[in-house]
Amino acid sequence: MFRIFVSSGSETRSNDHQTTTFPGGSSNGEAPVHHVHVAILGTGFSGLGMAIRLKQQGQEDFVVIERAADIGGTWRDNTYPGCACDIPSHLYSFSFALNPYWSRRYSPQAEIWDYLRQCAKRYGILPHIQWNSELQDASWKEDEQCWHITTSQGQLLANILILGNGALSEPSLPPIPGIERFEGVLFHSAQWKHDYDLTGKRVAVIGTGASAIQFVPHIQPQVAHLSLFLRTPPWIIPRLDHPIPDWQRTLYRMLPIAQRFVRSKIYWERELLALGFVYRTEMMQNGMQIARRHLEKQIPDPELRAKLTPKYTMGCKRVLLSDDFYPAITQPNVEVISERIREVRAHSIVTEDGREQEIDTIICATGFHVTDAPLHQHVYGRGGQSLADRWHTGQSAYLGTTISGFPNLFLLIGPNTGLGHNSMVYMIEAQLSYILDCMRTMDSRKLGTVEVRPEIQEVFDNEIQRRMQGTVWNSGCASWYLDAHGHNTTLWPGFTFEFRRRTRHFDAKHYEIITRQVSATARNAR
Ligand SMILES: Cc1cc2nc3c(=O)[nH]c(=O)nc-3n(C[C@H](O)[C@H](O)[C@H](O)COP(=O)(O)OP(=O)(O)OC[C@H]3O[C@@H](n4cnc5c(N)ncnc54)[C@H](O)[C@@H]3O)c2cc1C
C-alpha cells in the first residue's frame, strides 16, 4: 500500500551498502576501494527499477550512484507548474508496484515523485544509494574484468555497470547568439526557479514542446506579458484528464485485479497507435482531424490558428495533450511569435524581422541532450574507446541495451528504446528482465564477461534503420527524435510487445563470453 511520505535526510543519505573491500585499493595506505558486483547509475524509473529487481532476486552486492540528494530522476527534477505525465498513471508505473491511490488519470509530478520514493523505501533500496555522487568516469579494465568508476565521492570497482542516467536528464539550452549575455533571469523548465516570482514580469518562453504546453497556462495569468517563441507548432489533442473517484481507488485497493484490467486496457489502446506511427502513417489522418477540430474550437482567430497549424504529419514530433494551452495563449497578455530569434541582448530579444522586445525573464523549454549526453564522453570501453567515439556516426546498441566493445555494460532506455505512444516503464521493465536473465546466465556458467558480438549488433542496427524508413518519424519534420545526422536513434520502430518478446531471454549465442579469471572469481563467488 502506498502512502505519501517525506524521507528524512538521514534516511535518504544513508550509505551503508553491502560491499566488500578490494585489496588492491589499500596497498599504498589510501582508503580501500569498494568493489561491488553491480553498479547502477541513476534513481529514476530505470535505476530504481533495476535495484528493486536485483534485490528481489536476492542480490545485495550492488550500489546505486546518484548525483542528486533524493531519488526520482525526471520526476524529481521537473517541478515546473503543471508538470504531469501524459501516459495514464495506471500504466505509467511499475507492474510490480501498482498504486491504487493515483489521484488523477494523468498524475501530477509530485505524486509520481512520491510514488518513486515510496518504492525505494518499500523495497529497501535507500541503503544502497550513494547520494550526491556524480559519475565522472567509467573505464573497462580488461585484465581485471571489471569497471573502474570515478565518482565525485571517490573510486569504485564493479563487475557489471548499468547506466540508467536517463535520456531526458541533461537540459539543453538553445544556441542563440548572445544568450550568455542576457542580464535578466534565465532558466530551463527542468530547473525551475521556485524562489523567483514571475508576477508582473515580461517573460519569454522559448519552445512549445511537452513541458511548455504544461506550464504556460499556469504562468500566463501571473505574468505581465508572455512572448511565446514558437518554431514548429505541435499537434495537440484534448487531454481528457479527470480525477479518479474514491470508489475506484477503493476498488483498486481491495481488488488489485480490477486495476490490472484497467492497466491492460490502457496498454492496448495506446499500443494500437503504433499502427499509425510505424506501419500505416495514413491512419494519422484521424488524429489530425481531431486535433484540427480542437484547434478550431479553442482558437477563433484565423491568423493565430494559421500560426498554430502544423504542416507535417501528426506523430512526426511528439503528439501533445492539452485542454488549457490554446485558451491561455489567446489571452491579451500573450503574443505568439513564429519569427526566428536573431539574438538575445542584455535585456531584450531581437527577432529576424529586426523587432526588439524588452524581456525580464527567459524560460527555455528547449528539451534535453538526448543523443549527445555529456556522459558518453566519460564511459570508456575496451581499448579506451569512449561511448562518444564509438557513436560518432550515431548511437546504437543491441536491443537498446548492450554495445560491442563495452563488456558487462548495460544501458537502460538506451538507443532506439524510446516511444511516442506508450509507457517508457514498459520498455524499462523489458530491459530489466533481459539484464537479469543475462546475470543469471553469467552466474550459472561462471562467466566473467559478456559482450555482444559486433556482427549481431550490426545486423540489429541495420534492421532498426531499415524499419525506420516508412515511419511517421522519418516523414520530414525536424524533431529531437533525430540525431545530428538525421537518423532516428531514439525510438523503437515497432510494437512494444515485440521489444518485450525479444528481450525476454538472454541468448548467449549473441555474445562473446569469457569465463571468470581467478582474481575475479574470488569476487564473484557468492
Ligand atoms: C517532463 C517530462 C515528462 C515525461 N512524461 C512521460 C510520460 O508521461 N510517460 C513516459 O513514458 N515517459 C515520460 N517521460 C520520459 C521519462 O524521462 C521516462 O519515462 C523515465 O522517467 C526515465 O527514467 P530514467 O530512470 O531512465 O531517467 P531519469 O528519470 O532521467 O533518471 C536518471 C537519473 O540518473 C541520474 N544521473 C544522470 N547522470 C548522472 C551522473 N553522471 N552521475 C550520477 N547520477 C546521474 C539523474 O540525477 C537521475 O536521477 C517524461 C519526461 C519528462 C522530462
Side-chain angles (χ1 to χ4, degrees), residues 443-458:
D443 271 354
S444 63
R445 294 174 59 177
K446 303 207 178 339
L447 304 180
T449 68
V450 293
E451 178 186 345
V452 66
R453 293 175 187 276
E455 65 279 14
I456 296 289
Q457 190 182 337
E458 199 185 327

Side-chain angles (χ1 to χ4, degrees), residues 277-410:
F277 285 166
V278 181
Y279 302 104
R280 304 277 302 272
T281 52
E282 63 278 12
M283 284 175 68
M284 297 313 295
Q285 291 302 330
N286 281 344
M288 285 157 75
Q289 252 175 31
I290 294 171
R292 278 196 203 102
R293 273 202 298 271
H294 189 47
L295 181 67
E296 271 164 35
K297 209 165 126 196
Q298 295 200 319
I299 305 278
D301 172 11
E303 205 179 315
L304 179 57
R305 206 159 59 222
K307 268 188 198 174
L308 293 167
T309 304
K311 296 183 179 52
Y312 55 88
T313 309
M314 178 186 254
C316 188
K317 288 163 79 80
R318 194 171 176 93
V319 182
L320 307 182
L321 315 177
S322 178
D323 297 328
D324 52 4
F325 176 68
Y326 287 147
I329 61 173
T330 56
Q331 297 308 307
N333 66 339
V334 180
E335 185 184 2
V336 178
I337 303 166
S338 38
E339 200 69 36
R340 282 179 87 90
I341 299 177
R342 185 200 292 164
E343 68 170 308
V344 175
R345 294 186 182 157
H347 299 285
S348 62
I349 288 182
V350 184
T351 40
E352 286 292 359
D353 55 2
R355 184 175 160 217
E356 181 168 4
Q357 268 194 295
E358 296 285 311
I359 296 291
D360 303 310
T361 314
I362 299 179
I363 306 177
C364 298
T366 40
F368 301 87
H369 289 280
V370 181
T371 54
D372 58 347
L375 186 73
H376 300 168
Q377 291 161 23
H378 304 289
V379 176
Y380 301 94
R382 197 189 289 291
Q385 188 186 37
S386 71
L387 260 184
D389 281 345
R390 175 74 170 75
W391 285 345
H392 73 280
T393 54
Q395 57 170 11
S396 72
Y398 177 58
L399 295 171
T401 313
T402 52
I403 309 158
S404 72
F406 291 77
N408 291 9
L409 178 74
F410 299 91

Side-chain angles (χ1 to χ4, degrees), residues 8-74:
S8 71
S10 61
E11 248 172 2
T12 55
R13 285 175 182 78
S14 164
N15 232 350
D16 57 343
H17 53 79
Q18 303 294 307
T19 63
T20 51
T21 302
F22 185 65
S26 55
S27 58
N28 56 3
E30 288 171 7
V33 177
H34 283 302
H35 188 157
V36 289
H37 187 45
V38 183
I40 301 169
L41 183 64
T43 59
F45 269 107
S46 293
L48 182 61
M50 189 75 247
I52 294 172
R53 293 294 311 276
L54 274 182
K55 192 116 177 161
Q56 286 175 334
Q57 307 284 310
Q59 177 60 260
E60 288 289 333
D61 191 6
F62 67 91
V63 64
V64 187
I65 302 164
E66 172 55 62
R67 66 183 168 195
D70 206 334
I71 67 145
T74 293

